[in-house]
Amino acid sequence: MFNLKEIIRPNVLKMKAYSSARDEFKGTAEVFLDANENNLGSLAGENYNRYPDPQQKALKSRIAEIKGVRPEQIFLGNGSDEAIDLLFRMVCTPGQDSMLHLPPTYGMYEVSANLNDVQLDAVQLTSDFQIPVKEVLASIKPTTKLLFICSPNNPTGNLIEPESIETLLDNFDGLIVLDEAYADFANAGSWTKRLDEFPNLVILQTFSKAWGMAGLRLGLAFASEEIISFLNKIKPPYNINEATQKLALQALQHTEGLCDMVEEIVQERELLMLALPGLATVEKVYPSDANFILIKVKDADGLYNYLLDKGIVVRNRSTIKGCEGCLRISVGTLEENQQLLQAISEFR
Ligand SMILES: Cc1ncc(COP(=O)(O)O)c(C=O)c1O
């Protein structure tokens, strides 16, 4: 049986959160002399002399509306990378606990485990990049606190079968971190709709991909109110800056613009999927539910360097186990994709 209190680190259970000036003051006032700010103003523009809302209330309220969850089920991080790191610090005691990830997958799970001195266990995805569920269940140890699943998976691009995710959610007493960074590009609903069914589910999303705000650094975690309250307890007080809160709130008024961009990117992805297999050097094009495509080519290093010479940079994934000979290509604009296809077709 999953019991959150049993997996939260004892020091996190015991500690008191930092109480910031803006946390302690509630109500309205004219004169703010509580946070040692510069009351003369800011060279950066209006309001930037003030600390931002530590709980990001306006932003969370709008996100809750769009995603159909309660604001208390949302944590906002300085990119989802911050949420990943905080999840480790929330449940994994360094030098004692372990995590499980399913390579080939997003590299930050491993980096965060290493940084936090958490033992890294791995079960390789199958040849079609799905989860070998029995093997994963057999690899869970009493010390396993986190299991990372990325769907659609980076760098392979495919959605993970929902039945596998559900079986693991039902049979693991630690937290399952389901990374949906690329879910906006997939033809499948988000697991946020099922949050209330699974007390051990944490869903990560990000504004860096479909929303086009990678430069602002805004990531999201959705989970039970209890899990979110622990993430809030341990986060740096002002982790989402004022510019990010303001600009993201503005962008969230234009959800139709998001749909248009996603539609265009998916359309471009499908054109690439049609064109790439016809090129002599391309051996395999993996199916993609994301905004990138993994291709297997005859000479990955050669093609990678050749494209670089042409001013086109893709991601060389050929040294990663399970992705031998592979390049990962982000879907670009129509012109960029044509330039890419032209360049690959001329590679000898
Ligand atoms: C699967 C996955 N999760 C998370 C991230 C990081 O997102 P963010 O920019 O919100 O830190 C990435 C970035 O490439 C990613 O591929």
Side-chain angles (χ1 to χ4, degrees), residues 168-195:
L168 292 171
L169 280 165
D170 287 338
N171 290 284
F172 177 50
D173 291 338
L175 293 182
I176 293 205
V177 185
L178 178 61
D179 192 338
E180 291 189 334
Y182 299 98
D184 290 311
F185 305 104
N187 200 5
S190 164
W191 281 76
T192 49
K193 305 271 173 302
R194 302 189 62 188
L195 212 48

Side-chain angles (χ1 to χ4, degrees), residues 131-182:
I131 301 180
V133 176
K134 278 192 192 141
E135 209 183 314
V136 169
L137 288 173
S139 303
I140 291 169
K141 305 184 295 201
T143 54
T144 312
K145 297 290 180 70
L146 294 172
L147 166 53
F148 284 88
I149 300 173
C150 189
S151 179
N153 187 41
N154 177 9
T156 60
N158 61 294
L159 277 166
I160 300 294
E161 282 161 6
E163 297 76 20
S164 307
I165 298 174
E166 190 157 349
T167 305
L168 292 171
L169 280 165
D170 287 338
N171 290 284
F172 177 50
D173 291 338
L175 293 182
I176 293 205
V177 185
L178 178 61
D179 192 338
E180 291 189 334
Y182 299 98

Side-chain angles (χ1 to χ4, degrees), residues 79-81 84 106 109 150 154 179 181-182 206 208-209 217-219:
S80 25
D81 288 343
I84 293 169
Y106 182 47
Y109 315 140
C150 189
N154 177 9
D179 192 338
Y182 299 98
T206 178
S208 299
K209 309 297 174 186
R217 311 306 301 130
L218 188 61

Side-chain angles (χ1 to χ4, degrees), residues 20 43 100 110 146 265 302 318 328:
S20 68
L43 297 176
L100 188 53
E110 177 169 352
L146 294 172
I265 291 165
S318 59
R328 192 196 69 192

Side-chain angles (χ1 to χ4, degrees), residues 267-279 285 293 341:
Q267 208 174 320
E268 283 303 316
R269 178 186 77 199
E270 295 313 307
L271 290 175
L272 282 173
M273 295 291 293
L274 283 176
L276 284 164
L279 305 178
V285 180
I293 299 172
L341 290 170

Side-chain angles (χ1 to χ4, degrees), residues 29-61:
E30 294 282 312
V31 181
F32 285 94
L33 303 175
D34 57 344
N36 303 343
E37 296 152 336
N38 181 345
N39 283 19
L40 303 188
S42 166
L43 297 176
E46 208 184 336
N47 270 339
Y48 289 119
N49 57 329
R50 298 295 180 191
Y51 282 104
D53 174 6
Q55 301 304 334
Q56 310 103 21
K57 288 187 276 303
L59 195 47
K60 281 183 184 168
S61 151

Side-chain angles (χ1 to χ4, degrees), residues 33 87 116 131 142 164 254-255 261 281 301 341:
L33 303 175
L87 285 163
N116 287 289
I131 301 180
S164 307
H254 305 287
T255 43
M261 283 199 289
T281 190
D301 291 343
L341 290 170

